[in-house]
Amino acid sequence: MTKHDTLLLACGTPENRQRLRSILEESYNLLESANTNQTILLLEQNIQCIAAVLLDITDPDVLREDLLTQPAATGLLEQVPVIVITRDDSSQV
């Protein structure tokens, strides 16, 4: 991996990771994590090549603000952009 050619998909739902992977895998190297601890570990190991973190906050069990407030992750996330992924559950169009 070269500098900033990788996206980290931080998403607890395998289906959502698969959707993102199918869209992005031709253009980027991808790393995937399913929980906060795995995300922090991947950031520590690969910070030099990560262009951005795609943070899926729709999963109630993992990630969310946990990752954004943990001291171990805070310094790492200051080094790369974090793009928050969410969804609109409203019935209004």
Side-chain angles (χ1 to χ4, degrees):
M1 287 183 258
T2 60
K3 188 169 182 149
H4 303 295
D5 66 350
T6 301
L7 296 178
L8 173 53
L9 308 179
C11 177
T13 309
E15 296 81 15
N16 288 352
R17 285 195 310 273
Q18 172 56 39
R19 283 185 201 117
L20 290 168
R21 187 182 324 110
S22 67
I23 295 167
L24 300 167
E25 65 188 348
E26 289 186 28
S27 300
Y28 293 93
N29 291 316
L30 300 175
L31 297 172
E32 299 179 29
S33 65
N35 60 55
T36 299
N37 291 334
Q38 189 177 26
T39 301
I40 292 170
L41 181 63
L42 287 170
L43 279 166
E44 290 171 341
Q45 294 173 342
N46 301 283
I47 194 69
Q48 296 304 316
C49 63
I50 294 176
V53 176
L54 300 183
L55 177 61
D56 183 355
I57 62 168
T58 62
D59 189 335
D61 297 324
V62 293
L63 305 169
R64 292 201 181 227
E65 55 280 331
D66 244 16
L67 182 63
L68 299 175
T69 59
Q70 274 198 12
T74 304
L76 295 169
L77 292 176
E78 289 174 359
Q79 299 177 48
V80 296
V82 177
I83 300 167
V84 176
I85 300 169
T86 187
R87 68 173 177 251
D88 183 3
D89 289 334
S90 69
S91 60
Q92 298 178 9
V93 178

